[in-house]
Amino acid sequence: MTNQPVKPHRARLGRNIRILRIRRGLSLRKFGQMIGVDYAYLSNIETAKANTTVDVLAKIADGLEVDIRDLF
């Protein structure tokens, strides 16, 4: 497995998701249960280790009660 540098757009996306989640007082586990996404995968999204799908981003946005574009 190659250690590739973090892509800036993934880091920005993950940071924004984390900020919005924390502002709502949600832990990764609670949020994951709420939206039906594994909390470890959410953690990887927030730390820019995972390249997620539009479908998962839509679940995240719905769970955070924001428009999907607000995640970016």
Side-chain angles (χ1 to χ4, degrees):
M1 185 170 193
T2 308
N3 254 351
Q4 296 186 7
V6 173
K7 305 221 180 216
H9 57 280
R10 275 197 219 165
R12 190 170 40 255
L13 173 68
R15 184 175 51 248
N16 291 344
I17 291 169
R18 184 171 194 271
I19 288 168
L20 290 166
R21 177 182 58 76
I22 289 171
R23 282 185 186 161
R24 283 161 181 73
L26 297 167
S27 69
L28 277 169
R29 284 182 191 264
K30 174 128 176 119
F31 187 52
Q33 289 172 342
M34 230 174 77
I35 65 171
V37 174
D38 182 70
Y39 78 92
Y41 183 53
L42 286 174
S43 176
N44 285 336
I45 294 168
E46 288 186 2
T47 57
K49 294 176 185 168
N51 187 19
T52 191
T53 66
V54 173
D55 291 338
V56 171
L57 289 176
K59 286 182 179 186
I60 291 170
D62 288 346
L64 294 171
E65 298 177 340
V66 298
D67 193 279
I68 197 168
R69 66 180 162 205
D70 295 330
L71 301 178
F72 296 94

